[in-house]
Amino acid sequence: MTAQIIDGKAVSVKCLDKVAAAVAERTEQGLRAPALAVVLVGDDPASAVYVRNKKNACEKVGFRSLAFEKPASFSEAELLALIDELNADHSVDGILVQLPLPPHIDSQKVIERILPDKDVDGFHPYNIGRLAVKMPLMRPCTPKGVMTLLKEYGIDVKGKNVTIVGQSNIVGRPQALEMLMARGTITVCHTATRDLVEEVGRADIVVAAVGRPNCIRGEWIKPGAVVIDVGINRLDNGKLCGDVEFDAAKERAAYITPVPGGVGPMTIASLLENTLEAAKLHDKE
Ligand code: NAP
């Protein structure tokens, strides 16, 4: 069997087109364009690229985008004060603080300072809690993007055995909650998992979110499984690769996401969808 490749780039373009159409409709109705504030602290080159991509995507769909680029010396108190200002600004729908932050800033404190209805990353404990009780408000972007991909390809999670490798607050855990909400039977693996090969091998759907190249071996995949690779790893030769041994896994899986071009583009698509949803919430205020 050779797997069907899940084309995240194509699905993300479709999502962005839908968002752009909704923005145009809002304008026709006399409503303002959604506005996203992106805050970058420090000079991490990878973060700068992510911020630029988010800004470009905002402009493409007709959002208003506000960029705040602050030096690494920006203090935690200054950052919290900036968030307070953006929270109070009724013309701002979403606030995104690019992670990682410099070590002198407590990221969790910053995440919790953003109003939950402006937390378009979906990282605030309130939003994770809403997802846990099946009443999501702002859904964490990467796991939400994975669910959109599955839906687009007609892959029903209900009743399936789902193994998620990785339990981070931004990917693995919320992914487990999303899969549970879709009525899958969930296993979450981490470094204390006793038999990763077995847990992966009995999964109908595998989500890898580890951050180690090729750590999920192709031969572990159950024939006919769906393989979603969230990992983004840069190799010494400069190339990007995922967590799954792609060439071997694609010979066993029914569907597989490539890296790049799989889950990655969906994260930005979800971010823009969340910002549109936030704007709709704020229309009612
Ligand atoms: P993270 O916070 O470092 O979490 C990694 C998780 O993997 C941890 O839960 C860790 O377990 C687990 N793990 C590590 N080694 C393992 C092993 N040998 N066996 C089983 N589990 C193991 O990483 P993250 O932020 O979730 O990101 C994961 C990957 O996704 C990274 O490559 C990141 O770049 C990528 N990512 C991609 C997107 C996207 O848009 N596509 C978005 C976010 C992240 P413990 O908890 O026990 O330590």
Side-chain angles (χ1 to χ4, degrees):
M1 173 185 290
T2 296
Q4 183 173 347
I5 308 295
I6 295 181
D7 186 347
K9 191 131 193 3
V11 177
S12 78
V13 168
K14 205 168 151 185
C15 295
L16 294 192
D17 286 348
K18 269 194 208 162
V19 173
V23 175
E25 206 174 298
R26 285 177 65 84
T27 315
E28 271 171 32
Q29 291 167 356
L31 295 166
R32 61 178 175 74
L36 176 66
V38 180
V39 182
L40 174 66
V41 183
D43 45 19
D44 176 45
S47 293
V49 171
Y50 292 141
V51 165
R52 202 170 50 236
N53 290 344
K54 286 166 189 173
K55 202 168 168 273
N56 290 343
C58 278
E59 281 159 14
K60 248 188 226 161
V61 297
F63 284 6
R64 189 163 72 91
S65 97
L66 296 84
F68 297 86
E69 288 173 19
K70 302 294 179 186
S73 59
F74 203 56
S75 72
E76 183 180 286
E78 286 173 308
L79 180 55
L80 294 175
L82 173 59
I83 291 170
D84 289 344
E85 251 175 62
L86 295 169
N87 278 340
D89 184 341
H90 292 299
S91 71
V92 171
D93 296 299
I95 304 169
L96 182 150
V97 179
Q98 185 64 43
L99 301 178
L101 287 165
H104 64 276
I105 300 179
D106 179 347
S107 304
Q108 196 57 30
K109 206 169 179 182
V110 169
I111 288 169
E112 292 189 32
R113 192 69 160 239
I114 299 170
L115 283 177
D117 62 7
K118 294 194 178 191
D119 166 42
V120 284
D121 256 337
F123 293 164
H124 194 294
Y126 176 84
N127 282 319
I128 301 292
R130 294 281 305 218
L131 186 60
V133 294
K134 299 178 280 183
M135 294 167 67
L137 183 71
M138 293 293 144
R139 293 161 61 191
C141 295
T142 303
K144 177 184 174 179
V146 168
M147 302 315 283
T148 307
L149 280 181
L150 294 177
K151 197 167 166 214
E152 278 293 321
Y153 278 79
I155 299 164
D156 191 4
V157 175
K158 189 175 170 189
K160 302 273 167 60
N161 287 336
V162 182
T163 294
I164 296 159
V165 191
Q167 57 137 2
S168 72
N169 288 343
I170 61 166
V171 190
R173 274 171 190 258
Q175 189 70 72
L177 294 171
E178 286 281 359
M179 291 290 188
L180 189 55
M181 199 163 68
R183 307 206 30 82
T185 300
I186 318 302
T187 302
V188 182
C189 302
H190 40 76
T191 52
T193 297
R194 274 197 303 227
D195 193 341
L196 187 61
V197 182
E198 194 206 315
E199 303 299 354
V200 170
R202 64 190 177 77
D204 303 307
I205 301 176
V206 181
V207 181
V210 180
R212 290 181 48 200
N214 298 326
C215 68
I216 308 295
R217 307 288 300 274
E219 69 200 40
W220 300 355
I221 303 297
K222 181 164 103 174
V226 176
V227 178
I228 305 290
D229 194 349
V230 178
I232 302 178
N233 308 293
R234 191 164 295 277
L235 299 172
D236 291 340
N237 62 11
K239 283 194 174 156
L240 288 184
C241 81
D243 291 342
V244 177
E245 199 188 7
F246 181 82
D247 288 338
K250 95 172 183 322
E251 296 309 317
R252 293 172 72 87
Y255 294 89
I256 190 166
T257 60
V259 177
V263 176
M266 293 306 296
T267 300
I268 290 196
S270 303
L271 172 73
L272 299 189
E273 288 171 352
N274 281 353
T275 306
L276 175 64
E277 285 311 308
K280 288 183 191 166
L281 288 174
H282 298 142
D283 287 343
K284 294 173 194 147
E285 283 173 359

